[in-house]
Amino acid sequence: MQPFASLIKPDKTSKQPVYIQIANQLMELIRQGFLQPGFQLPSSRQLADSLNIHRKTVVRAYEELLAQGWVESRIGTGTFVAAHLPEIIPQSPLNETMGHIDSNKKAGFTFDQKPHLNRAVIKNNIKLHLDDGFPDPRLAPLEELSRAYRTQLLTGNPYTRLGYGDTAGSYWLRKELSLYLNETRGLKTSPENILITRGTVMGLYLASTGLLKSGDSVVLGELSWSSASNNFLQAGAKVIKVPVDEFGINTDALEKICQKQSVRMVYVTSHHHYPTTVALRADRRIHLLQLSEKYGFIIFEDDYDYDFHYLSKPLLPLAGADRSGMVLYCGSFTKAISPAFRVGYLVGSENVITYLAQLRRIIDRQGDMMLENAMAELLQNGIIQRHLRKSLRTYRTRRDYFCDLLQTELGDYLNFQKPDGGMAVWGEFDKNINLKELSAKAIQNDLFFSDGSENNSPAEIRNATRLGFASSTIEELESCVGILKKLLTG
């Protein structure tokens, strides 16, 4: 009796009831084969005395095991490990000092770990930051959004409001988005042309999974967003890179590729090329649309920061000039408000949107209907539009000040062009500067910026990175540049 009881170790300080602990530990002994089918368990009184607990606790533990089919009770005889369970040969002694595989850390089965998924997750909690080009959430209309969200939670028919909705997203938001996109971007959409997503990445994933087959060719710039290429690789596509210059992707190089092989999709950030921030020139826009019609490839247009253009009226998206239904247009509110609010949109022909909404259903039944309706209310009332106008003025001031600082304080160490729009500067550092070491030293001084390694390739170390200015105040930008200057000159 005593050796058996020593295997059961209830913790009376745990929040889990003691009877559940005992039942779980007995289950584990059965699973490991140390209690075989037909083994007679001690009586409830015996086990209670050995463990110094109340007999009713053991009775409840046995009842739990009985209910789950681990044990069986024989009237007048006692409680036994269920005879129908398979016999298990113990694999190792019940000695904690012998060590066991930690199944919480390592699975017992094997799987392929794809290298393109091995990317660090940005969880920046450092005081100062020259990030990838994020908005300043301190400017976001959070009070208006919280009121709208509360309204959605508390008013209307709760069965409808809090139940399942359309997999394409809130109809109200799609309606308001259609009006907004048609007015600001020259599109000609209806709500049926819009699928609400949880940001641009979901739009990319749905398009890659639903429209690409293994072996399809996808073309994107030599410098491009890694999340895009990773989605294409995950879908089994072959990624082909084309040169990028001061006018965006080289469409002549793209045409030469199309002449030699079939291309299924071209990914482009036409308004502000990622990461270099340059705009795709008008003649290349026309050429790209012509090539799409001629060779039948899909254009995935990622318009991640259309609303932030500082010189004049921004260039209209390719989607606005698409007459053949070849463009999928994607954007989100993460740049307009904050990355925490995962509301994006994918725009395309009705049959494609219907199909991708069906695909979305098997990975994410629907989005946050409360948030989507709250965003619809802010669009309808013009609150988001006013916020964007205010943010545009603020970000333009920060861009100008930051670029002046870079030129006067760090002009000997990096080259850059003042961006016409967006939230970041593309900085090319002197080749003698080890950007990875500089980034590491900056973190030690409470400043985060990317070391630019994801912009490199085996053939070329570009020694360049994006330096985001929008999320920092004038004073914070001064501190950032001051730290960089000290590290570079010190």
Side-chain angles (χ1 to χ4, degrees):
M1 181 62 219
Q2 192 57 38
F4 176 84
S6 68
L7 301 176
I8 310 297
K9 297 179 180 180
D11 180 5
K12 295 181 181 180
T13 65
S14 172
K15 292 182 179 180
Q16 187 179 57
V18 172
Y19 83 94
I20 293 293
Q21 295 181 50
I22 294 173
N24 287 342
Q25 291 179 39
L26 286 170
M27 285 181 212
E28 189 60 28
L29 292 173
I30 296 171
R31 285 194 193 98
Q32 293 180 358
F34 296 102
L35 300 181
Q36 294 290 340
F39 178 85
Q40 183 174 7
L41 298 177
S43 69
S44 57
R45 189 179 303 279
Q46 287 176 316
L47 188 55
D49 290 343
S50 298
L51 298 177
N52 194 26
I53 58 176
H54 199 282
R55 175 174 173 267
K56 288 185 177 180
T57 302
V58 178
V59 170
R60 292 189 67 187
Y62 282 1
E63 288 174 346
E64 181 70 22
L65 292 169
L66 185 64
Q68 295 191 35
W70 290 96
V71 301
E72 55 193 21
S73 178
R74 302 174 188 172
I75 298 175
T77 307
T79 302
F80 298 80
V81 176
H84 65 266
L85 294 174
E87 184 176 348
I88 301 173
I89 300 175
Q91 299 297 311
S92 60
L94 270 179
N95 185 344
E96 293 182 2
T97 62
M98 297 296 291
H100 298 278
I101 295 175
D102 188 348
S103 60
N104 286 331
K105 294 183 178 180
K106 187 174 182 179
F109 54 86
T110 60
F111 57 95
D112 292 333
Q113 300 188 58
K114 299 181 179 179
H116 63 264
L117 299 179
N118 188 22
R119 297 171 57 206
V121 177
I122 297 175
K123 292 184 290 188
N124 182 24
N125 55 3
I126 297 175
K127 181 180 178 182
L128 298 170
H129 39 80
L130 297 173
D131 50 44
D132 193 55
F134 301 150
D136 189 343
R138 292 169 292 191
L139 303 179
L142 299 181
E143 291 186 9
E144 295 90 339
L145 182 59
S146 64
R147 284 197 295 268
Y149 197 94
R150 178 180 172 83
T151 298
Q152 294 305 314
L153 284 174
L154 300 179
T155 60
N157 183 335
Y159 184 82
T160 302
R161 186 180 71 250
L162 302 177
Y164 287 114
D166 195 326
T167 54
S170 157
Y171 185 82
W172 184 13
L173 179 56
R174 288 187 287 133
K175 178 182 176 182
E176 294 301 325
L177 256 178
S178 177
L179 295 171
Y180 175 70
L181 295 175
N182 293 349
E183 179 182 347
T184 61
R185 289 154 169 78
L187 304 187
K188 298 177 177 62
T189 66
S190 69
E192 287 70 29
N193 295 120
I194 298 174
L195 170 63
I196 304 300
T197 64
R198 293 185 185 270
T200 301
V201 173
M202 176 180 272
L204 269 167
Y205 179 82
L206 292 173
S208 300
T209 304
L211 302 176
L212 298 177
K213 299 190 298 292
S214 181
D216 281 347
S217 293
V218 179
V219 177
L220 61 166
E222 284 180 340
L223 284 169
S224 195
W225 189 31
S226 56
S227 285
S229 58
N230 288 344
N231 268 283
F232 304 141
L233 291 171
Q234 186 67 20
K238 177 184 177 183
V239 171
I240 302 173
K241 301 293 185 71
V242 293
V244 176
D245 57 25
E246 67 271 27
F247 306 118
I249 65 167
N250 188 322
T251 53
D252 289 332
L254 170 61
E255 184 171 19
K256 291 179 181 178
I257 293 171
C258 292
Q259 291 169 350
K260 296 178 181 178
Q261 65 182 85
S262 175
V263 171
R264 175 60 173 167
M265 183 181 290
V266 172
Y267 170 82
V268 62
T269 46
S270 59
H271 198 231
H272 301 128
H273 178 76
Y274 185 95
T276 65
T277 77
V278 300
L280 186 63
R281 198 169 60 184
D283 60 316
R284 294 190 181 182
R285 290 167 175 263
I286 295 171
H287 192 202
L288 180 58
L289 287 169
Q290 290 173 340
L291 292 176
S292 177
E293 291 182 15
K294 181 177 180 180
Y295 293 102
F297 59 74
I298 303 163
I299 298 174
F300 190 102
E301 184 176 17
D302 179 356
D303 211 355
Y304 63 98
D305 58 2
Y306 177 88
D307 295 293
F308 301 106
H309 197 78
Y310 306 119
L311 292 185
S312 59
K313 195 170 183 179
L315 296 168
L316 294 178
L318 294 166
D322 176 30
R323 298 294 178 264
S324 303
M326 304 304 292
V327 179
L328 283 175
Y329 180 76
C330 195
S332 78
F333 288 103
T334 60
K335 299 293 186 184
I337 299 179
S338 171
F341 299 106
R342 308 305 301 167
V343 179
Y345 47 88
L346 190 63
V347 181
S349 302
E350 285 186 26
N351 63 331
V352 176
I353 294 302
T354 299
Y355 166 63
L356 294 182
Q358 293 169 343
L359 175 61
R360 184 247 174 87
R361 184 174 184 175
I362 68 173
I363 60 168
D364 184 23
R365 172 58 177 79
Q366 66 189 55
D368 184 341
M369 299 299 288
M370 300 297 99
L371 179 58
E372 291 176 15
N373 284 332
M375 295 294 290
E377 182 177 325
L378 297 192
L379 274 173
Q380 186 179 67
N381 295 336
I383 292 170
I384 286 180
Q385 294 88 325
R386 289 193 293 273
H387 163 68
L388 288 172
R389 290 193 291 270
K390 176 184 175 182
S391 298
L392 182 66
R393 293 191 295 269
T394 300
Y395 295 158
R396 180 194 291 118
T397 300
R398 293 178 181 180
R399 178 205 63 166
D400 293 344
Y401 192 80
F402 182 56
C403 287
D404 288 343
L405 277 176
L406 289 180
Q407 186 61 51
T408 57
E409 302 297 323
L410 302 177
D412 293 336
Y413 303 100
L414 81 162
N415 293 317
F416 69 94
Q417 295 292 325
K418 180 185 286 190
D420 294 341
M423 299 179 174
V425 171
W426 175 246
E428 298 177 313
F429 284 75
D430 187 286
K431 296 295 184 182
N432 294 318
I433 296 172
N434 188 318
L435 202 51
K436 190 171 184 177
E437 289 183 2
L438 182 63
S439 175
K441 290 178 181 177
I443 289 176
Q444 295 173 2
N445 287 268
D446 284 332
L447 168 62
F448 167 83
F449 73 95
S450 170
D451 63 15
S453 56
E454 69 174 19
N455 302 315
N456 297 327
S457 67
E460 182 182 5
I461 304 298
R462 293 185 174 86
N463 219 42
T465 191
R466 283 168 64 89
L467 302 171
F469 55 80
S471 60
S472 300
T473 64
I474 295 295
E475 295 74 20
E476 289 166 344
L477 290 171
E478 285 182 349
S479 298
C480 293
V481 173
I483 291 171
L484 281 178
K485 183 177 181 179
K486 180 181 177 181
L487 292 173
L488 289 167
T489 60

